[in-house]
Amino acid sequence: MNLDNNTLPLVHGMILDMDRPCQSRTVLLCRTGDNRAHMLNITLSSGGEPMAVPANACVTLYARRADGSRLWSSCTVNEDGSVSHLFTSSELEVPGKADCELYIVTPEREMTSPKFRVTVEGILRDDSAVFATDDFSVLGDLIAKAEKAVLLADKAPDSATAGSVGAVIIDSTDGTFYKCTGAVDGAYTWVKLNKVYLLTVHKPAEGESFEYLVPSLREICNDSPDCTVFLKYHDSETSQYYTVIPALCSNTGTGIVIKGFYTNPSFIKYAIRIYYKKSSGSARVEYVPEYAPPSLIYDEDYYLTAPPTVEAVDYMIKDKQDCAIADSEGYFTEKTVEGALKELGASLCGADSALDGILSLIGGNEA
């Protein structure tokens, strides 16, 4: 039963009988990718009478998607004792039937409701590669998950529109992407982007082939630098969850390098580098801690701008000293800086007394 279809989110109502057998029944039909567009208002009943949820109760919705993944999210307890839940894109990401239940906890009691079912219908839209000129399907992801890199405007930017170099603005009237390529004395240069790519990639496994990336990378290589790239990054090959990451695409002459940065749940920042060579048509993905050494030689200038982490310093000084540390006497030799300082110290030993003798001879040591 729809209570209010005049605006989003769509509000749906249901009565959940706490006394009935725990078997699923379908109460809602959604589509994959719907995000915060369906609100379910649930009135609990017992013995045919409404049952109000206490205002101090904590109510959680648990869902098991068609792929077996289990999710939970919070519900809202309304003034009339009913419960509301706004479905997220994660809960509606997998086509099929999602079984749900409510877990209700008060300071004195806790209980679980009978199951009910949400049916998620698949859609035809595919975001694996997007032409921004006439396809709006990726806008939701870019705006919701890459807010710091993408701004939404109600008109095309001009020279007075402020922005940092590399920033992207979407003209919401027609979905056109613009990128800031210059900022000089208060004048900003905005270039219309012919294509925007959302490149799906996951954390690489040892020995994995990246042939699945080659068709998209070939297109990006042909379009660069007149395109912009975002990474739709999954933390594993089987993970349904992803993060949209703004990426920097560089043309090396022999191919392209795409770089993005991802902070994992442990707050460790990783660099994601995708390499594509035109001559061989090969692709590879690196996932390493930020500032860790890259494997390709043409990226070594990266160290010139790296903060002084242990990895960066170790790399830069690895050829500076050829004497191994065996013991204190072996370490302090003329081949090392420490050895040179030791010799200098020995030469200066007794310099104070020698200076006093010289001053005495010339009469310069008088009080």
Side-chain angles (χ1 to χ4, degrees):
M1 177 177 64
N2 291 340
L3 302 181
D4 181 5
N5 284 338
N6 294 325
T7 184
L8 290 177
L10 298 176
V11 181
H12 313 269
M14 68 169 288
I15 297 175
L16 186 57
D17 187 355
M18 302 294 287
D19 298 326
R20 70 176 175 83
C22 293
Q23 57 186 11
S24 299
R25 63 187 182 93
T26 300
V27 299
L28 189 60
L29 173 65
C30 304
R31 275 79 185 177
T32 54
D34 288 353
N35 181 35
R36 303 178 67 82
H38 297 276
M39 177 177 285
L40 184 61
N41 279 346
I42 305 169
T43 300
L44 303 183
S45 70
S46 177
E49 297 294 328
M51 188 179 78
V53 177
N56 64 345
C58 177
V59 182
T60 305
L61 182 137
Y62 283 83
R64 183 178 59 212
R65 301 186 314 194
D67 64 351
S69 300
R70 297 173 183 266
L71 310 174
W72 66 269
S73 55
S74 300
C75 300
T76 300
V77 178
N78 302 314
E79 292 183 1
D80 61 358
S82 63
V83 174
S84 296
H85 179 72
L86 190 60
F87 284 90
T88 66
S89 58
S90 295
E91 293 163 331
L92 306 178
E93 188 172 18
V94 179
K97 296 175 181 179
D99 290 329
C100 305
E101 65 186 18
L102 299 181
Y103 178 50
I104 306 169
V105 179
T106 70
E108 300 84 17
R109 299 174 180 82
E110 60 182 86
M111 69 182 303
T112 301
S113 76
K115 295 183 180 66
F116 57 94
R117 177 168 290 167
V118 174
T119 298
V120 184
E121 185 180 51
I123 58 175
L124 300 179
R125 186 176 70 243
D126 182 2
D127 290 341
S128 59
V130 177
F131 293 83
T133 304
D134 40 36
D135 190 339
F136 287 79
S137 60
V138 75
L139 295 185
D141 273 339
L142 294 182
I143 295 168
K145 297 189 176 183
E147 293 176 346
K148 294 182 180 180
V150 180
L151 301 176
L152 197 63
D154 57 3
K155 63 178 182 179
D158 53 32
S159 60
T161 304
S164 57
V165 175
V168 176
I169 284 182
I170 304 172
D171 181 356
S172 60
T173 60
D174 61 8
T176 303
F177 283 64
Y178 296 86
K179 188 173 185 177
C180 182
T181 59
V184 180
D185 298 330
Y188 302 89
T189 303
W190 293 92
V191 176
K192 180 179 177 179
L193 297 172
N194 294 324
K195 291 186 179 180
V196 176
Y197 291 89
L198 187 64
L199 189 62
T200 300
V201 65
H202 57 260
K203 184 177 179 179
E206 186 175 354
E208 180 180 359
S209 170
F210 301 101
E211 290 302 312
Y212 71 95
L213 291 173
V214 170
S216 296
L217 291 173
R218 186 182 299 115
E219 286 190 39
I220 295 172
C221 187
N222 293 334
D223 289 333
S224 64
D226 297 324
C227 69
T228 191
V229 180
F230 293 87
L231 303 181
K232 186 177 180 181
Y233 176 72
H234 297 255
D235 204 35
S236 70
E237 187 175 1
T238 58
S239 174
Q240 298 291 330
Y241 303 98
Y242 60 88
T243 303
V244 175
I245 302 171
L248 175 65
C249 181
S250 303
N251 197 317
T252 65
T254 60
I256 55 173
V257 180
I258 298 174
K259 299 179 185 179
F261 296 97
Y262 169 73
T263 302
N264 69 9
S266 299
F267 301 102
I268 300 175
K269 192 173 184 180
Y270 283 83
I272 304 167
R273 302 190 189 97
I274 303 172
Y275 301 98
Y276 172 71
K277 290 186 176 180
K278 289 190 294 185
S279 58
S280 61
S282 61
R284 64 189 304 269
V285 178
E286 285 186 353
Y287 177 83
V288 293
E290 190 179 2
Y291 308 120
S295 61
L296 299 188
I297 190 169
Y298 59 72
D299 201 29
E300 287 191 354
D301 59 348
Y302 143 88
Y303 287 101
L304 301 178
T305 59
T309 61
V310 172
E311 292 87 356
V313 172
D314 181 64
Y315 178 86
M316 289 185 285
I317 68 173
K318 65 179 182 179
D319 297 322
K320 302 301 181 185
Q321 180 172 304
D322 58 3
C323 184
I325 301 175
D327 52 56
S328 59
E329 292 302 319
Y331 183 53
F332 292 104
T333 69
E334 68 279 0
K335 293 183 179 181
T336 66
V337 174
E338 290 82 358
L341 290 175
K342 185 177 180 181
E343 291 185 2
L344 179 62
S347 301
L348 294 176
C349 183
D352 288 344
S353 59
L355 179 61
D356 288 342
I358 294 173
L359 291 174
S360 178
L361 289 174
I362 64 176
N365 196 30
E366 298 178 358

